[in-house]
């Protein structure tokens, strides 16, 4: 039965395959299975493949022995990056920060001294350019660190130019529901997440109305509400039964009695410590005249909610100051739920380019354009405006791209590269192509990961092609930045059960697919690591096998030290994963069809007709007259595939792959997790 199906498929392939032809120069083809031997790639040295190498500056290469990676270390290792065929490097954030990872930027315009000086940086850029390697900076425009001078100034007083750089609110829930916060404008009350708001530790200022209810003198209450018109000072000098509001720098104002035990006072409130209610304005603070919260209980008021006042006739020390609603002004951070970051405020997207934070980021970008960089990777762009699926973020990103590109183009005469991080599935990513030329294609890896672990390859090419079609709907010249894992995800090899064979397969699939691939440093060495015990486990120092190894952390997956081996040892091993990555890097740069070609579905090995080949992923890569056949066996077991295409020009093999010719068709025997690329 199986032979009949195979025969049918072979006939079908003969009918439907386009452009395939037998090479007449190599005859006769072996009639028994023989190992496929690869023809050496003829690379003219032109970098066509748009391979980017992602590295973490702190973790990559240490030139001065302080344990931290640095610019000079990267400069010294540029030939290594070049050997992978990479034409660009994405650097982790290089600016001063309190954290090791750098995503809490303290100044966008200077280098972190730990990594080197601006001169070191420029030298690195120049040396990279000599090797046709571009430099992309990680630019964190969603938020700054709370140690940035913008934020420190913004929180130093209630009225300074940097207040507009961030989002502040006395009552975020209410302000969001009322549509008063432009960065969270399109979601209404649903946009509120209390875990995303953090106290500045200061008291709010503004107009507040204080209402006392003293009808029950054993349990008087105070209620605070926002807004109104400040009262003039109460001219009544009588002290009998008087009530006072005490706040700020010794301010003591008398309430107006409204009768029936109700007292009211509206003031322009400004106080670093909160307020108290008093029944005496005597400087000696007689016992039983000071009202606040009982020591040890909550002193926090909510707007428009009566708070029962406490006094103590034995000691004034048992009474604590009352805190206004919110205790403080809150600032906003939209996705890490940490108080290290504060989200930048760009105001309504229609006018975002006029916001001071936007202008400041663009001005700081000029520093790096002047330093010679070639592009930016933009962090967390789906979080800039809170609503991921509205058009606000794509609109904002287009404005940001255009503003930075105008400056870049003026200097370089070409467009700047900018890739955005939208950590979501492809359908959420696609609309962001309206804003940026390149976006990381996260689902590419997520699909591949699932396919390899399930040993199912048939749908991989179809899905990739249809997703690219969706991207094209938003931008005709879209750049799908394909990748395996990155600095926020478990290492690819660990996701694949630690298997080196599967890790090699994943690398081969990445570098033989349509897109602009990113290699996350260490992936080419088969690094392992899961982030459960800390993100450092997926940000391991490079084991160079020389003095450049960094030592910023001791959180290192034990398998990396014991089974992976160093760069030096893998360079000497013709079967290492590093050797495979280098071969593919060269191959991808040698063949335009692989570098920039279009992925097309295989006429037989596809979800509709390829049932018996369910573990195989197959596709063509086509550019002009050049056509390549790409095959990967995602299954554990061996697979014999009948093909009508000529297999006389093998360009790449990973794992054991054998072939023979039977009458008019070729048969390919692929062991589990093997890969093969042929020129047709
Ligand atoms: Mg160092």
């Amino acid at each position: 039965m199986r032979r009949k199906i195979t025969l049918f498929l072979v006939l079908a392939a003969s009918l439907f395959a386009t452009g395939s032809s037998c090479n007449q120069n190599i005859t006769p083809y072996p009639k028994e299975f023989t190992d496929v031997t690869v023809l050496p790639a003829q690379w003219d040295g032109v970098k066509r493949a748009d391979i980017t190498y992602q590295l973490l500056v702190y973790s990559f290469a240490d030139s001065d022995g302080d344990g931290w990676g640095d610019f000079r270390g990267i400069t010294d290792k540029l030939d290594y990056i070049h050997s992978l065929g990479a034409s660009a490097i994405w650097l982790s954030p290089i600016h001063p920060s309190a954290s090791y990872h750098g995503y809490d930027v303290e100044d966008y315009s200077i280098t972190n001294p730990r990594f080197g000086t601006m001169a070191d940086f420029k030298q690195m850029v120049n040396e990279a350019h000599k090797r046709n390697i571009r430099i992309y900076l990680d630019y964190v425009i969603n938020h700054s660190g709370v140690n940035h001078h913008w934020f420190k100034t913004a929180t130093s007083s209630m009225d300074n130019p940097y207040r507009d750089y961030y989002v502040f609110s006395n009552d975020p829930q209410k302000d969001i529901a009322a549509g008063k916060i432009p960065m969270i404008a399109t979601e209404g009350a649903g946009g509120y997440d209390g875990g995303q708001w953090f106290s500045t530790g200061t008291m709010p200022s503004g107009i507040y109305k204080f209402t006392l209810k003293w009808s029950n003198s054993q349990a008087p209450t105070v209620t605070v509400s926002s807004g109104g018109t400040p009262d003039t000072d109460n001219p009544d000098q009588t002290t009998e039964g008087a009530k006072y509001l005490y706040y700020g720098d010794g301010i003591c104002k008398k309430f107006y009695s409204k009768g029936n035990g109700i007292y009211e006072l509206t003031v322009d409130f400004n106080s670093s410590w909160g307020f108290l209610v008093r029944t005496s304005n005597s400087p000696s603070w007689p016992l039983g005249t000071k009202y606040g919260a009982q020591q040890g209980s909550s002193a926090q008021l909510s707007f428009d909610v009566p708070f029962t006042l406490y006094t103590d006739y034995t000691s004034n020390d048992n009474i604590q100051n009352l805190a206004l609603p919110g205790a403080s002004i809150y600032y906003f951070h939209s996705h890490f739920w940490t108080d290290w970051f504060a989200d930048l405020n760009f105001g309504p997207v229609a006018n975002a380019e006029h916001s001071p934070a936007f202008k400041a980021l663009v001005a700081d970008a000029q520093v790096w354009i002047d330093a010679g960089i070639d592009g930016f990777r933009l962090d967390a762009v789906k979080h800039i405006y809170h609503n991921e699926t509205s058009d606000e973020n794509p609109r904002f990103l287009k404005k940001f791209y255009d503003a930075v590109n105008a400056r870049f183009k003026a200097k370089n005469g070409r467009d700047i590269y900018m890739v955005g991080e939208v950590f979501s599935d492809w359908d959420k990513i696609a609309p962001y192509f309206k804003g940026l030329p390149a976006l990381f294609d996260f689902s590419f890896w997520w699909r591949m990961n699932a396919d390899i672990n399930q040993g199912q390859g048939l749908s991989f090419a179809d899905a990739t092609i249809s997703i690219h079609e969706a991207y094209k709907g938003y931008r005709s010249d879209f750049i799908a930045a394909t990748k395996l894992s990155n600095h926020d995800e478990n290492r690819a090899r660990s996701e694949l059960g630690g298997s080196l064979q599967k890790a090699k397969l994943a690398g081969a699939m990445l570098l033989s697919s349509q897109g602009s691939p990113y290699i996350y440093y260490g992936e080419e060495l088969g690094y392992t690591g899961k982030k459960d015990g800390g993100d450092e486990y997926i940000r391991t120092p490079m084991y160079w096998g020389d003095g450049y190894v960094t030592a910023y952390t001791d959180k290192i997956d034990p398998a990396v030290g014991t089974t992976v081996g160093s760069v030096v040892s893998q360079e000497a091993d013709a079967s290492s994963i590093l050797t495979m990555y280098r071969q593919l890097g060269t191959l991808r740069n040698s063949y335009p069809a692989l570098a920039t070609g279009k992925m097309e579905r295989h006429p037989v090995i596809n979800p509709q007709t390829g049932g018996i080949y369910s573990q195989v992923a197959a596709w063509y890569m086509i550019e002009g007259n050049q056509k390549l056949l790409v095959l990967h066996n995602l299954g554990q077991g061996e697979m014999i595939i009948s093909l009508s295409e000529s297999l006389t020009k093998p360009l790449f093999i990973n794992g054991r792959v054998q072939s023979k010719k039977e009458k008019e068709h070729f048969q390919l025997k692929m062991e589990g997790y093997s890969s093969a690329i042929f020129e047709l």
Side-chain angles (χ1 to χ4, degrees), residues 180-460:
K180 287 182 181 172
I181 298 180
M183 306 302 288
I184 318 179
T186 60
E187 296 152 295
Y192 177 73
D193 175 351
Q196 297 176 336
W197 291 84
F198 300 93
S199 166
T200 60
T202 55
M203 287 287 165
S205 63
I207 313 294
Y208 298 108
K209 181 182 179 183
F210 296 78
T211 303
L212 301 178
K213 190 175 177 188
W214 220 275
S215 49
N216 176 4
S217 62
Q218 298 305 306
T221 63
V222 61
T223 304
V224 181
S225 51
S226 180
T229 306
D231 291 319
T232 54
D233 288 348
N234 191 339
D236 181 3
Q237 297 295 315
T238 56
T239 55
E240 182 66 27
K243 309 287 182 277
Y244 301 91
L245 183 71
Y246 189 82
Y247 65 99
D249 194 10
I251 301 167
C252 193
K253 291 195 172 187
K254 190 176 183 187
F255 278 86
Y256 287 90
S257 173
K258 299 294 181 182
N260 297 322
I262 303 296
Y263 299 82
E264 292 178 356
L265 184 65
T266 301
V267 298
D268 189 352
F269 185 88
N270 195 344
S271 173
S272 62
W273 55 269
F275 73 99
L276 290 164
V277 173
R278 299 180 61 180
T279 53
S280 162
N281 63 356
S282 164
S284 64
W285 293 82
L287 291 172
T289 65
K290 177 184 178 183
Y291 288 79
Q294 185 173 9
Q295 202 61 255
S297 67
S298 172
Q300 176 67 62
L301 279 70
S302 298
F303 279 119
D304 305 318
V305 178
F307 183 93
T308 303
L309 294 165
Y310 172 81
T311 191
D312 194 305
Y313 290 88
T314 59
S315 168
N316 280 338
D317 293 342
N318 295 335
I319 303 159
Q320 58 173 328
N321 303 331
L322 293 165
L324 271 197
S328 51
I329 295 194
Y330 288 88
Y331 66 97
F332 175 60
H333 181 64
S334 63
H335 70 296
F336 280 117
W337 296 275
T338 168
D339 58 3
W340 287 9
F341 308 102
D343 273 31
L344 290 161
N345 174 37
F346 303 108
V349 69
N351 296 309
E353 68 273 32
H354 303 299
S355 66
F358 185 100
K359 289 178 182 173
L361 284 171
V362 172
D364 283 352
Q366 183 73 53
V367 173
W368 306 106
I369 293 169
D370 291 343
I373 60 110
D374 304 274
F376 290 106
R377 176 265 182 186
L378 303 184
D379 183 58
V381 298
K382 75 174 184 180
H383 297 292
I384 294 174
Y385 286 85
H386 196 259
N387 189 347
E388 176 186 356
T389 55
S390 81
D391 68 352
E392 292 163 295
N393 284 320
R395 286 172 68 195
F396 171 85
L397 291 165
K398 179 163 192 336
K399 290 181 177 197
F400 187 77
Y401 180 87
D402 287 348
V404 174
N405 191 43
R407 290 164 177 254
F408 184 87
K409 210 166 182 173
K411 177 175 188 284
N412 299 293
R414 60 189 162 94
D415 288 330
I416 195 169
Y417 176 86
M418 226 181 263
V419 60
E421 179 207 20
V422 178
F423 196 72
S424 297
D425 221 331
W426 63 271
D427 55 330
K428 298 256 178 56
I429 290 172
Y432 282 72
F433 277 114
K434 285 190 290 187
L436 290 174
L439 290 161
F440 290 110
D441 193 0
F442 286 98
S443 63
F444 176 85
W445 162 235
W446 299 339
R447 282 186 291 111
M448 189 201 297
N449 184 5
D451 285 354
I452 293 176
N453 279 322
Q454 290 162 15
Q456 297 291 316
L458 271 190
S459 64
F460 184 77

Side-chain angles (χ1 to χ4, degrees), residues 53 59-60 80 484-485 489-496 498-500 503 520-530 536-545 549-550 556-557 559-567 570 577-578 581:
Y53 191 73
S59 184
F60 190 63
Y80 171 80
L484 303 183
S485 67
E489 299 173 286
N490 290 334
R491 284 281 186 180
R493 182 171 170 184
S494 289
E495 284 289 310
L496 299 171
S499 161
L500 180 60
Y520 180 44
Y521 86 103
E523 209 159 71
E524 76 278 17
L525 300 170
Y527 270 21
T528 53
K530 291 194 169 188
E536 294 91 335
Y537 283 101
I538 55 172
R539 303 168 181 177
T540 307
M542 279 286 279
Y543 280 97
W544 292 105
V549 178
T550 61
I556 297 168
D557 189 316
V560 175
T562 54
T563 66
V564 167
S566 68
V567 170
Q570 288 211 27
I577 185 169
L578 175 60
Y581 265 84

Side-chain angles (χ1 to χ4, degrees), residues 62-64 66 68-70:
D62 177 20
S63 72
D64 57 7
D66 68 351
W68 292 91
D70 44 52

